[in-house]
Amino acid sequence: MTPPNPRPDPARGHRIAKLLARAGIASRREIERMIVEGRVAIDGRVVETPATILPSLRGVTVDDNPVEEPEPARLFLYHKPNGLLVTERDPAGRRTIYDQLPRDLPRLMPVGRLDLNTEGLLLMTTDGALKRQLELPATGVQRAYRARAYGQVSQAQLEALIDGVEIEGVRYGTIDANLERRTGANVWVEMILTEGKNREVRRVLEHLGLKVSRLIRTRYGPFLLGDLRPGEIGEVRPQDVAQFRRDPTNVPPAARADAPPRPSTPARTRARAAEPTLTSQKLTQEPPRKSPPRKQPSRPGDAAPPSSSGRSTERATERKRLSPLATPSARPPRARRSRRPGDARPSRPKS
C-alpha cells in the first residue's frame, strides 16, 4: 500500500516550494501562501499545490517574473546584539535583526534562532538546504554557549548533564557543561550541545537553581564568533562552506580552544545603525587590532577596560610620588591573576 505522503525522489526533483526557497525567493511558508494566492506559475500555468515536483526552476515565474537558478550557497556570521528579534517582521513593532543589517546584502535566512535577550553568533545563509543541514539535530552540529548566572552550582551537577535531563516532560539530550569560574554571587558556565531546543540553555540552568542574567553563543559547528563586535557581520569563505558540507561534525582545533581566535572571515562590517541618517558600509577588510601590552586576551562577555586620559595619568603619578608603598623597595610583590568575565576591576590602595 502506498503511503499517503511519500517523500519525493531526489532523482525526479524537489518540491517547488523547496526550490523557490533555495533560490532565495522567500521562506517555504511564505511561498506556500504565494502559491495559494496564484502568484506562482510554470510555463504560464498557475501552480495549484506547493508539493509539485520539479527537476529545476526552468519556466517558473513568480508574479510573472522569471525565477533564476540559485547561486552557490553563501554563509555569514552575525554578532546579534541583545534586544533584537530574530524574525523578518514583528507585529508588535519591536526591532529585528533585519532592521540593523546592511541593505546591500542578499536575502539571508537565519540558521535557528536566538532569544530576544540572547546575544552572540547567529549564522545566516542564502541557501535553504544549507540552513536545514545546520539546524537538524541529526547532523550533530555543536553549539557552544557561555552563560552568566546567579546562584550556586557544582561541577558535579554540571557533569551530570552529559547523560541528558528531562524537565517538565521535555527531554534534553547530551550537554557538555563546565564551570568556568565564580565571581561573587554569579557563576560563568560553558555549555556545548547539539539539539538547540527552544530556550534549552536557560531552562536547564534554571532547573539547577540558577538564574541566567547573560547568555552568549560563541560557536556554531566550526564557525566562531571570534572578535566580531555586536552588530558586525562577516562572510565565510566559499571553501570553508564546502568543507563544512562535506563533514558537518568536524570541529577544528581552533574552535575547541579555550580562547576563541579571530573568525575565519575575509571581511567584516558593522551593521547599519538605527538612525536613518547613517548608511551601511560595504564589507571591507580591517587590519588586525594590536593588543595593548600586558593585557590579558578578552573573551565574549568581558567588560572593556576604561580608557585612560592625561589627567588620570597625572593623578596616578602623583599618588606614586606621595605614597611610600609605591617605591620598589617598600612595596611587597603581588601576584597577578587574569581577569575573567564578570570580574570587578581591582581598586588602588588609598593613600
Side-chain angles (χ1 to χ4, degrees):
M1 181 177 179
T2 304
N5 293 314
R7 292 185 178 181
D9 184 3
R12 294 176 50 213
H14 298 278
R15 297 190 178 195
I16 187 172
K18 179 178 181 179
L19 293 176
L20 289 174
R22 291 188 61 183
I25 300 300
S27 65
R28 290 197 193 185
R29 186 174 300 177
E30 183 66 23
I31 291 171
E32 290 174 358
R33 285 197 290 263
M34 295 166 67
I35 292 175
V36 173
E37 295 170 358
R39 299 166 56 186
V40 182
I42 304 175
D43 296 329
R45 295 184 301 173
V46 176
V47 177
E48 298 180 354
T49 172
T52 303
I53 306 299
L54 294 177
S56 68
L57 291 174
R58 181 178 301 176
V60 177
T61 59
V62 176
D63 296 332
D64 297 328
N65 297 316
V67 179
E68 299 180 358
E69 291 291 340
E71 297 180 354
R74 298 174 67 183
L75 184 65
F76 293 80
L77 311 181
Y78 175 56
H79 188 158
K80 174 194 171 296
N82 190 10
L84 295 182
L85 289 174
V86 182
T87 183
E88 198 164 345
R89 62 183 64 89
D90 179 55
R94 292 173 294 180
R95 292 193 307 159
T96 73
I97 59 174
Y98 292 98
D99 296 328
Q100 302 296 305
L101 290 173
R103 296 185 183 277
D104 55 358
L105 292 175
R107 179 184 177 273
L108 297 178
M109 298 172 284
V111 177
R113 295 183 183 273
L114 290 177
D115 297 334
L116 176 68
N117 296 322
T118 302
E119 55 193 288
L121 179 61
L122 178 67
L123 299 185
M124 305 192 73
T125 180
T126 59
D127 187 86
L130 177 59
K131 168 183 165 70
R132 181 170 177 80
Q133 184 182 21
L134 284 160
E135 289 177 341
L136 279 178
T139 309
V141 179
Q142 293 182 349
R143 292 90 153 158
Y145 295 82
R146 298 184 68 231
R148 183 182 66 192
Y150 175 82
Q152 298 295 325
V153 69
S154 65
Q155 180 62 34
Q157 289 177 285
L158 296 174
E159 290 178 356
L161 299 176
I162 199 69
D163 298 323
V165 61
E166 184 172 336
I167 304 174
E168 297 180 355
V170 179
R171 181 69 186 179
Y172 298 97
T174 297
I175 299 176
D176 185 2
N178 179 57
L179 179 62
E180 287 190 347
R181 66 183 294 109
R182 304 180 190 273
T183 55
N186 293 310
V187 293
W188 279 93
V189 179
E190 182 187 39
M191 303 179 70
I192 300 176
L193 46 100
T194 57
E195 286 185 327
K197 292 181 179 177
N198 183 32
R199 299 179 62 84
E200 180 172 353
V201 174
R202 296 181 184 273
R203 288 176 176 171
V204 169
L205 292 181
E206 289 172 1
H207 177 70
L208 298 179
L210 299 175
K211 184 177 181 181
V212 178
S213 58
R214 190 175 185 187
L215 184 58
I216 310 167
R217 183 156 68 190
T218 59
R219 178 169 63 86
Y220 200 116
F223 308 110
L224 301 170
L225 177 64
D227 63 352
L228 279 177
R229 294 186 294 270
E232 284 186 337
I233 187 168
E235 184 173 4
V236 180
R237 297 178 301 178
Q239 55 266 36
D240 293 334
V241 177
Q243 181 179 355
F244 167 79
R245 304 191 81 165
R246 289 192 298 267
D247 189 2
T249 59
N250 180 34
V251 179
R256 294 193 294 263
D258 183 48
R262 293 173 62 89
S264 58
T265 58
R268 300 196 308 268
T269 184
R270 180 169 297 278
R272 186 176 71 257
E275 295 81 357
T277 57
L278 299 181
T279 57
S280 62
Q281 300 178 359
K282 291 184 179 180
L283 295 172
T284 56
Q285 180 71 33
E286 292 183 3
R289 293 188 296 273
K290 295 182 179 180
S291 301
R294 302 180 65 184
K295 178 181 177 182
Q296 297 296 327
S298 61
R299 301 191 61 189
D302 289 347
S307 59
S308 59
S309 62
R311 183 176 300 176
S312 61
T313 304
E314 293 175 2
R315 287 199 299 265
T317 305
E318 183 68 13
R319 283 196 298 268
K320 288 184 179 181
R321 187 177 64 84
L322 297 177
S323 174
L325 293 178
T327 60
S329 58
R331 185 172 184 175
R334 184 177 61 181
R336 293 182 58 205
R337 68 180 183 89
S338 59
R339 294 177 60 243
R340 300 294 298 278
D343 287 354
R345 291 185 60 83
S347 58
R348 295 180 177 274
K350 295 183 180 180
S351 58

